[in-house]
């Protein structure tokens, strides 16, 4: 199946969901629902991590080119939505690689979520796959991601082409379907949560959510009785993905299917040219800037603080504040607090001021719940 046929099969009719609509008036929201407050304090912090998102204003690169005598399939530049979009773009990259290889061996560069997913798909189809990567899980950028399945912020709508927007809409839907078989599957760290996207302003009209409203179960929009008392709220069931569990499992699945992993650092195109495989899938993320000369890639620094687990927390949120955005995602292993988006920053040391902002900001939101109970 060629890429164009594959994308058409995802359902072009779904594009009709991208429209503006009046906001429905909802006066009540989940009567009887309780929200235990997050216990946000410095004493409960278990670790703080920093990662660099591989952002391209025009959107991720998903295409083939011939370079140094190889067929290179590019699958990188997903910003902070690499895990989210992995089951959208990796099947396309795998299909392009399979067509080009004509049954021959295939190399995959990078062992983040894109590389692992692509290798898994190809290996399950019977291809001889070798993954070349400097870092393997749990030491990849994908391991640091917060991962709420909600694909936003990975391209500039003013820069992206209409063709990219069309394809992206379809691949969002494919990515959503790809994760559904993993929800509550033992060991994979994927589960549902009650998510709340909050706003300090009530919109006059709204756009459908990424990929179309129909893929967000129990979607409600409310302007009264909202979480934390915000002016407007979109609430829906969303998938939370714990990458420390998930990446280990799909790497193991790829190995069981026959994929081989080689730890190595590729420092330039000469190293790529020296690989024995004639077809290569490039899933190097931010590394593609140096390895393949993509100057459009921009690092966006993100910082997360993890708190001790609270099993009673079964909801998540993204909330704007005067000091910046805050988000909270619950995992079995702990509570993830985030909300940094530092364009062009590359420092890998945690910023104590951001830790303080997150801990105090989430504590203030938790106090609103306690005051209203």
């Amino acid at each position: 199946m060629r890429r164009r046929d594959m994308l058409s099969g995802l359902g072009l009719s779904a594009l009709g969901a991208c429209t503006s609509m009046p906001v429905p008036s909802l006066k009540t929201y989940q009567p009887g629902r309780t929200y235990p407050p997050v216990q946000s304090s410095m004493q409960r912090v278990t670790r703080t991590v920093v990662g660099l998102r591989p952002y391209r204003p025009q959107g991720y690169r998903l295409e083939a080119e011939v370079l140094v005598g190889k067929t290179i399939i590019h699958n990188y530049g997903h910003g902070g939505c690499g895990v989210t979009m992995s089951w959208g773009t990796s099947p396309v990259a795998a299909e392009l690689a399979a067509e080009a290889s004509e049954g021959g061996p295939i190399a995959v560069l990078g062992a983040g979520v894109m590389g692992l997913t692509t290798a898994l798909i190809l290996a399950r189809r019977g291809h001889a796959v070798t993954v070349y990567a400097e870092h393997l899980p749990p030491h990849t950028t994908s391991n640091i991601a917060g991962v709420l399945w909600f694909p936003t912020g990975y391209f500039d709508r003013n820069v992206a082409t209409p063709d990219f927007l069309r394809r992206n809409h379809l691949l969002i839907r494919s990515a959503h379907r790809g994760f559904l078989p993993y929800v509550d599957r033992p060991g994979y760290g994927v589960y549902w949560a009650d998510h709340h996207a909050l706003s300090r302003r009530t919109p006059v009209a709204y756009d459908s959510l990424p990929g179309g409203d129909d893929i967000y179960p129990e979607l409600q929009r409310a302007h009264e009785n909202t979480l934390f008392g915000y002016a407007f709220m979109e609430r829906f069931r969303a998938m939370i993905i714990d990458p420390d569990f998930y990446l280990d499992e799909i790497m193991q699945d790829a190995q069981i299917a026959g994929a081989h992993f080689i730890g190595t650092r590729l420092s330039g195109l000469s190293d790529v040219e020296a690989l024995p495989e004639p077809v290569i899938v490039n899933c190097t993320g931010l590394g593609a800037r140096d390895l393949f000369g993509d100057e459009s890639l921009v690092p966006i620094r993100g910082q997360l603080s993890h708190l001790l687990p609270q099993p009673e927390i079964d909801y998540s949120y993204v909330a704007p504040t005067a000091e910046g955005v805050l988000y909270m995602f619950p995992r079995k292993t702990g509570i993830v607090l985030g909300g940094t988006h530092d364009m062009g920053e590359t420092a890998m040391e945690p910023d104590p001021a951001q830790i303080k902002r997150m801990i105090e900001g989430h504590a203030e939101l938790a106090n609103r719940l306690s005051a209203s109970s």
Side-chain angles (χ1 to χ4, degrees):
M1 181 185 292
R2 296 190 177 277
R3 181 183 66 182
R4 182 173 298 172
D5 298 330
M6 184 179 185
L7 290 174
S8 296
L10 293 177
L12 285 173
S13 62
L15 287 172
C18 290
T19 57
S20 291
M21 313 170 201
V23 176
S25 177
L26 299 180
K27 294 186 178 180
T28 60
Y29 170 65
Q30 288 195 301
R33 173 69 159 95
T34 59
Y35 293 89
V38 172
Q39 298 173 29
S40 182
S41 68
M42 292 299 298
Q43 290 74 26
R44 294 182 63 83
V45 175
T46 59
R47 59 178 171 141
T48 295
V49 295
V50 174
L52 304 180
R53 307 174 181 103
Y55 176 74
R56 296 176 88 234
Q58 68 270 47
Y60 48 76
R61 189 177 183 190
L62 183 61
E63 61 182 356
E65 72 168 337
V66 177
L67 194 65
V68 296
K70 311 279 189 181
T71 298
I72 310 292
I73 314 299
H74 295 291
N75 183 24
Y76 68 87
H78 299 78
C81 289
V83 178
T84 296
M85 289 300 295
S86 57
W87 284 104
T89 64
S90 291
V92 177
E95 191 66 40
L96 292 172
E99 287 182 7
S101 72
E102 297 181 342
I106 299 171
V108 175
L109 308 185
V113 69
M114 287 296 167
L116 295 177
T117 309
T118 303
L120 172 60
I121 293 168
L122 288 168
R124 281 180 170 171
R125 293 181 180 180
H127 294 278
V129 181
T130 302
V131 179
Y132 299 91
E134 181 178 6
H135 302 292
L136 301 175
H139 305 296
T140 73
T141 299
S142 297
N143 283 96
I144 299 172
V147 198
L148 165 84
W149 196 98
F150 188 54
T152 60
Y154 53 99
F155 63 91
D156 185 340
R157 187 168 287 272
N158 295 319
V159 176
T161 66
D163 182 60
F164 173 83
L165 297 176
R166 179 188 70 86
R167 294 173 60 202
N168 182 60
H169 177 84
L170 299 174
L171 293 181
I172 287 173
R173 299 178 69 83
S174 175
H176 186 267
R177 286 196 300 271
F179 269 105
L180 291 176
Y182 293 98
V183 176
D184 288 334
R185 191 169 168 180
Y188 285 82
V190 183
Y191 30 85
W192 294 110
D194 229 357
H195 182 66
H196 307 75
L198 303 161
S199 175
R200 290 184 288 178
R201 296 190 180 121
T202 300
V204 176
Y206 66 88
D207 293 325
S208 61
L209 298 180
D213 284 356
D214 60 299
I215 65 173
Y216 299 88
E218 300 181 9
L219 173 62
Q220 295 175 304
R221 293 179 169 94
H223 57 80
E224 294 182 15
N225 299 325
T226 62
L227 186 64
F228 306 128
Y230 275 78
F232 180 71
M233 174 177 70
E234 290 179 307
R235 174 264 174 193
F236 50 87
R237 299 286 284 174
M239 287 178 280
I240 299 288
I241 301 158
D242 187 333
D244 286 334
F245 282 107
Y246 180 74
L247 295 177
D248 281 354
E249 289 296 324
I250 62 170
M251 181 175 175
Q252 180 175 287
D253 289 346
Q255 290 173 311
I256 291 171
H260 297 280
F261 288 77
I262 296 178
T264 186
R265 184 177 186 274
L266 302 176
S267 58
L269 284 179
S270 60
D271 292 340
V272 176
E273 185 178 14
L275 295 177
E277 295 84 1
V279 176
I280 296 171
V281 186
N282 169 31
C283 302
T284 55
L286 194 60
R289 184 177 57 178
D290 295 331
L291 191 58
F292 290 94
D294 188 344
E295 296 296 328
S296 68
L297 274 166
V298 180
I300 297 181
R301 183 180 185 276
Q303 179 171 307
L304 300 175
S305 286
H306 293 243
L307 304 180
L308 289 168
Q310 285 185 250
E312 71 275 17
I313 304 293
D314 61 350
Y315 66 96
S316 59
Y317 58 78
V318 176
T321 72
E323 291 73 34
V325 172
L326 295 172
Y327 64 74
M328 183 279 292
F329 305 151
R331 296 181 185 172
K332 300 292 191 293
T333 54
I335 302 294
V336 179
L337 305 183
T340 63
H341 196 266
D342 302 321
M343 182 79 74
E345 297 292 331
T346 59
M348 297 301 292
E349 289 298 317
D351 180 354
Q354 288 288 2
I355 298 175
K356 184 174 185 290
R357 178 181 76 87
M358 289 183 196
I359 297 300
E360 292 181 355
H362 287 282
E364 194 278 327
L365 290 176
N367 286 339
R368 295 192 203 179
L369 290 179
S370 300
S372 62
S373 61

